[in-house]
Amino acid sequence: MDRRVLFATLILLAGGATGVGVSLFAFVGIDDATAETTVVWESEPAAGDDGSGAVVATVDGDPLIVRPAVENGSRAVRATVVGTDETAWTTPISGPDAERGGGDASGSGGDSGESGGGPLGVSGLVTGTLGGDPVIALTTAPGELVVLDASDGSERFAVELGGPGGLRPAVGDLTGDGTREVAAVATDGSVRVVDGGGDPVAEAAVPGDVTRRPLLVEPDLEAGERGGLAVLTTVGDPATIHMLDGSGETRWTTTPSVNPLSWSAADSGNGPVLALGGSNGNLETIETSDGSTRYEVGLQDLPIAVGDADPGRVYVGGSGSVWAVSLLDGEVVWKQQYDAGTRINEPRVGDVDGDGEIAPVVVNRAGEVLAMTRKGRVVARGGPDDVVAYGGPLFADVTDDAGDEVIVVAADGTAIAVDT
């Protein structure tokens, strides 16, 4: 059967009070000729993480899959050379043991760091560069920001947060001076921003509990756009967004219309925005300049997970559906559907065919990969059998074919490279 493109009218919810109207979108059907994927590499498991905390770091041109792990009953971070069985390095993460309240019984891959019986709780990992060097950053449940050198796993610095941790930090140029900082938030609202050596840049405290990672918005000084650090507090009670400047001062606060389950920062093509995925299935975008709502769109799907953006649009995963939404006006550009009823993890973008075009790729909870073009056409579908995956796809060139393979990290920490 030929690939079908069906045009339908999407009746967007919530009426004029939220600025949600009517939009035309393309429903893009899956072609029967879609290429199947091939598993080309599988690592050993990394016990102690649910799979969502892993990252890919590139060191001297070589990709490493870096995962939170547990070894000999203690928390560690393990780096494996992609495509091999070689462990590049393993670094223990120190802190209170379970008997002193530093455990993490529920796993460590997500954005929370609950304490309980077991090894030290840590956040998911973040990769970035500081002073030109690739680094890995995380926070611990007892309240420490730890930054490791990605080349050998050595500790670059560790900084106390002033409160309980377990939320992913952020790495970026907060001040626009050409150097990158690391920003971390404790669950009690304590905020720390440090430079590449771990020295303090800014400190703050925002009222309310924090259960989502902070978002660092880099400024565009040529366009006159200010950056900032967005912190989300007390989800659902109601949620409040605090936008802090480079000195830790609050620029603005706002209460979004949606109760956000996920969020990301994105370039709309007309200034940066925060994209929030609500518990009601709506996508809301907030202007980073003043905290005003640009639009709210009803995606008629639950739950939704806001993922990566490329300039001008953001990709959202639903229950068996993927949405591309214009960041300029909220128009739903296209919707792609597969495996209805199976939850899709946050979409990400990568170049899987080596043509230089960054395009969306998703992984659902059953580990199935769907690679698409920017227009929503499916170019590959498939993946590993009998796995559970809680994180979005990662990317690395495993087969030296110029394009990246998709890395699926299963719930037991096994990394699986899928050639599309």
Side-chain angles (χ1 to χ4, degrees):
M1 181 180 66
D2 293 334
R3 182 176 65 88
R4 296 170 298 164
V5 179
L6 304 177
F7 288 90
T9 299
L10 175 64
I11 306 300
L12 300 177
L13 305 178
T18 61
V20 180
V22 176
S23 179
L24 189 70
F25 73 92
F27 180 90
V28 186
I30 295 179
D31 195 334
D32 285 349
T34 295
E36 292 294 323
T37 61
T38 304
V39 173
V40 294
W41 172 70
E42 184 172 323
S43 76
E44 293 296 322
D49 180 62
D50 68 2
S52 66
V55 294
V56 169
T58 301
V59 177
D60 296 329
D62 296 322
L64 303 176
I65 181 79
V66 190
R67 293 163 289 174
V70 172
E71 297 194 357
N72 300 319
S74 298
R75 180 65 63 185
V77 175
R78 180 194 302 168
T80 301
V81 179
V82 171
T84 76
D85 294 325
E86 178 187 352
T87 298
W89 50 262
T90 300
T91 299
I93 303 298
S94 61
D97 58 28
E99 293 181 354
R100 290 183 284 163
D104 181 17
S106 59
S108 66
D111 284 334
S112 63
E114 298 177 358
S115 294
L120 179 75
V122 299
S123 71
L125 307 179
V126 174
T127 186
T129 58
L130 294 174
D133 300 323
V135 298
I136 305 295
L138 61 105
T139 71
T140 69
E144 192 171 48
L145 167 66
V146 180
V147 176
L148 307 176
D149 189 324
S151 63
D152 59 9
S154 60
E155 185 179 287
R156 190 180 182 107
F157 60 81
V159 176
E160 292 294 329
L161 295 179
L167 304 175
R168 278 185 172 92
V171 181
D173 184 0
L174 178 62
T175 60
D177 63 357
T179 61
R180 293 191 163 202
E181 294 84 29
V182 186
V185 178
T187 58
D188 66 358
S190 301
V191 181
R192 297 289 185 272
V193 182
V194 298
D195 64 17
D199 295 323
V201 172
E203 294 185 2
V206 296
D209 297 329
V210 183
T211 59
R212 300 283 182 266
R213 62 191 174 101
L215 300 179
L216 195 152
V217 180
E218 295 191 348
D220 186 342
L221 301 182
E222 292 185 0
E225 297 168 355
R226 301 175 65 184
L229 183 69
V231 180
L232 182 66
T233 60
T234 320
V235 172
D237 195 33
T240 300
I241 299 173
H242 309 256
M243 180 61 77
L244 310 180
D245 64 18
S247 66
E249 296 295 322
T250 300
R251 284 176 44 204
W252 52 258
T253 63
T254 191
T255 299
S257 298
V258 303
N259 175 19
L261 299 179
S262 60
W263 72 333
S264 66
D267 176 9
S268 73
N270 186 26
V273 295
L274 306 177
L276 284 65
S279 58
N280 60 352
N282 288 4
L283 173 72
E284 181 178 5
T285 57
I286 304 291
E287 302 279 2
T288 62
S289 59
D290 58 11
S292 61
T293 295
R294 179 175 290 190
Y295 59 77
E296 184 180 345
V297 179
L299 295 184
Q300 299 178 327
D301 211 349
L302 288 172
I304 60 172
V306 177
D308 281 352
D310 53 30
R313 66 176 59 175
V314 66
Y315 300 102
V316 182
S319 182
S321 301
V322 187
W323 307 76
V325 180
S326 168
L327 287 165
L328 287 172
D329 55 16
E331 176 186 357
V332 179
V333 182
W334 51 258
K335 174 187 178 182
Q336 178 62 264
Q337 189 167 352
Y338 78 115
D339 280 359
T342 302
R343 184 173 177 179
I344 294 174
N345 303 319
E346 68 276 12
R348 292 177 178 155
V349 295
D351 180 9
V352 298
D353 54 12
D355 66 355
E357 180 183 76
I358 301 298
V361 179
V362 295
V363 173
N364 67 15
R365 289 293 171 93
E368 185 176 16
V369 173
L370 196 70
M372 295 158 282
T373 67
R374 290 192 77 249
K375 294 182 178 180
R377 182 177 65 84
V378 174
V379 296
R381 177 182 181 178
D385 296 325
D386 301 323
V387 304
V388 176
Y390 293 113
L394 303 175
F395 304 98
D397 186 1
V398 179
T399 59
D400 294 325
D401 61 355
D404 283 341
E405 278 64 54
V406 179
I407 309 293
V408 178
V409 184
D412 65 354
T414 301
I416 305 162
V418 176
D419 189 358
T420 57

